[in-house]
């Protein structure tokens, strides 16, 4: 059986946060500690509010330039996670949240997980431009009416001569 550290970390996190409150409270005092907690929570709310709009803007820029949107999504997602971690009261979560706001740290995380991210689509060819042709358009075969014939009964639910009198009226 494989052992995971995640449950241990989730159970130990409140204990570590309480220890962080005690250490910072002894060093700064009660009111400065509470002020720091409120300040980082407010900062987390501001980042959460602007993070979603920034992610949409980055995705639009990536689609305009034809770049893969995966890096923009991961970077925006890390900013949203940073806002959530800053909003949660605790100094350890605040430190992790502040680290996720540093672009160099986000770039390092992207280098670590980027090769594992698969984008399902070809964004580099069309660049999300309406009417732009992709390389799949070369596979289209244009036939004349004489070149194509249908085998079978010819009864299709989409044919124009279908008898639909038995269908209910809207």
């Amino acid at each position: 059986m494989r052992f995971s550290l995640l449950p241990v970390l989730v159970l130990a996190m409140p204990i570590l946060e309480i220890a962080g409150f005690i250490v910072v409270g002894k060093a700064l005092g009660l009111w400065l500690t509470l002020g720091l907690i409120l300040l980082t929570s407010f900062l987390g709310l501001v980042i959460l509010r602007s993070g979603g709009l920034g992610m949409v803007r980055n995705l639009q820029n990536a689609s305009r330039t034809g770049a893969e949107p995966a890096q923009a999504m991961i970077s925006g997602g890390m900013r949203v996670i940073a806002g959530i971690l800053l909003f949660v009261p605790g100094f350890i979560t605040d430190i992790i949240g502040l680290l996720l706001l540093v672009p160099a740290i986000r770039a390092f995380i992207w280098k670590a997980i980027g090769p594992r991210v698969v984008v399902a689509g070809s964004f580099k060819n069309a660049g999300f431009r309406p009417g732009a042709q992709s390389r799949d358009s070369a596979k289209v075969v244009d036939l004349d009416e004489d070149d194509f014939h249908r085998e079978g009964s010819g009864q299709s639910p989409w044919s124009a001569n279908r008898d639909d009198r038995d269908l209910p009226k809207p």
Side-chain angles (χ1 to χ4, degrees):
M1 186 163 97
R2 191 172 150 211
F3 179 72
S4 176
L5 288 177
L6 187 63
V8 174
L9 184 65
V10 168
L11 291 174
M13 199 65 175
I15 296 169
L16 294 173
E17 291 290 0
I18 291 171
F21 285 133
I22 293 171
V23 169
V24 173
K26 281 186 179 181
L28 297 180
L30 174 67
W31 295 111
L32 283 177
T33 303
L34 290 177
L36 258 174
I37 292 169
L38 291 176
L39 178 72
T40 57
S41 293
F42 179 73
L43 179 66
L45 282 177
V46 169
I47 290 171
L48 278 174
R49 183 172 173 87
S50 67
L53 295 174
M55 184 167 39
V56 169
R57 197 172 325 121
N58 289 342
L59 285 172
Q60 288 175 344
N61 289 339
S63 67
R64 250 187 257 122
T65 60
E68 284 188 8
Q71 186 172 6
M73 287 176 56
I74 297 292
S75 179
M78 283 191 269
R79 272 183 272 164
V80 169
I81 291 172
I84 292 170
L85 288 174
L86 284 170
F87 180 70
V88 172
F91 292 109
I92 295 173
T93 55
D94 290 346
I95 290 170
I96 296 169
L98 288 173
L99 285 175
L100 284 177
L101 290 176
V102 177
I105 300 290
R106 287 198 312 260
F108 176 75
I109 293 173
W110 173 248
K111 283 185 181 180
I113 67 170
R116 297 180 190 156
V117 175
V118 176
V119 178
S122 178
F123 297 102
K124 291 183 180 176
N125 294 336
F128 291 122
R129 291 184 299 270
Q133 290 190 358
S134 67
R135 65 178 152 183
D136 292 336
S137 64
K139 298 177 185 175
V140 175
V141 177
D142 194 17
L143 297 175
D144 292 332
E145 289 182 25
D146 300 334
D147 295 336
F148 177 76
H149 68 281
R150 181 182 308 264
E151 295 177 4
S153 66
Q155 292 293 337
S156 170
W158 297 278
S159 65
N161 59 2
R162 202 184 91 165
D163 187 15
D164 58 355
R165 287 177 285 188
D166 58 339
L167 295 177
K169 302 288 185 227

